[in-house]
Amino acid sequence: MSKPTDAELQILHILWERGPSTVRAVNDALNAQREVGYTTTLKIMQIMHAEKGLLTRQEDGRTHIYAAAVTREDTQANLLQQFVDNTFRGSAMQLVMQALGNHEASSAELDEIKALIAQLEQKDKP
């Protein structure tokens, strides 16, 4: 999967939340956050469809309906893996240690982390 740019990721978030949408609907949603020209949104979505395969497009007369061709979960997993590889040389432990060192985790968060570790340990047992 091609890594989406920040602008492409904003568009994907809109499509994940709203479902298949026209360029106009996506542009209106983007403009609620910051001003973006319609032709800019159109061009980005065309690239995401034709060149990157991040979007699908259905034609309904003159209207084009775009939908995300990638899931939120797969995109997040790929972006996280690239981040861990590039920033922490592939070490998930270093990422977690850095995150916990920079953030004061609540008791509830620590309990969730412990439960996740226990789950992962159970998976590794034969």
Side-chain angles (χ1 to χ4, degrees):
M1 175 178 78
S2 179
K3 180 182 176 186
T5 65
D6 289 344
E8 291 168 344
L9 200 51
Q10 283 184 310
I11 290 169
L12 284 170
H13 279 291
I14 290 166
L15 293 172
W16 289 328
E17 291 168 11
R18 297 176 177 218
S21 303
T22 63
V23 175
R24 174 63 59 207
V26 171
N27 186 252
D28 289 346
L30 288 172
N31 278 310
Q33 301 167 16
R34 63 180 173 83
E35 190 170 334
V36 180
Y38 176 85
T39 56
T40 300
T41 303
L42 173 63
K43 184 65 176 167
I44 292 170
M45 291 177 74
Q46 288 172 334
I47 291 169
M48 292 173 72
H49 167 67
E51 296 176 23
K52 293 189 169 186
L54 297 171
L55 301 180
T56 61
R57 182 176 72 194
Q58 294 284 327
E59 295 182 27
D60 183 16
R62 291 181 43 147
T63 304
H64 293 171
I65 308 293
Y66 288 87
V70 293
T71 66
R72 182 188 312 250
E73 294 77 16
D74 286 346
T75 303
Q76 289 172 340
N78 286 334
L79 289 173
L80 179 60
Q81 187 60 55
Q82 289 175 8
F83 177 74
V84 171
D85 289 345
N86 294 334
T87 308
F88 296 97
R89 293 189 170 180
S91 174
M93 183 202 62
Q94 285 185 347
L95 168 69
V96 171
M97 297 301 289
Q98 182 74 34
L100 289 175
N102 289 344
H103 171 73
E104 196 168 315
S106 68
S107 294
E109 289 173 323
L110 291 174
D111 288 343
E112 285 185 51
I113 292 168
K114 289 174 189 174
L116 177 60
I117 290 170
Q119 267 183 340
L120 294 171
E121 287 175 337
Q122 287 300 318
K123 278 186 183 178
D124 288 342
K125 290 183 179 179

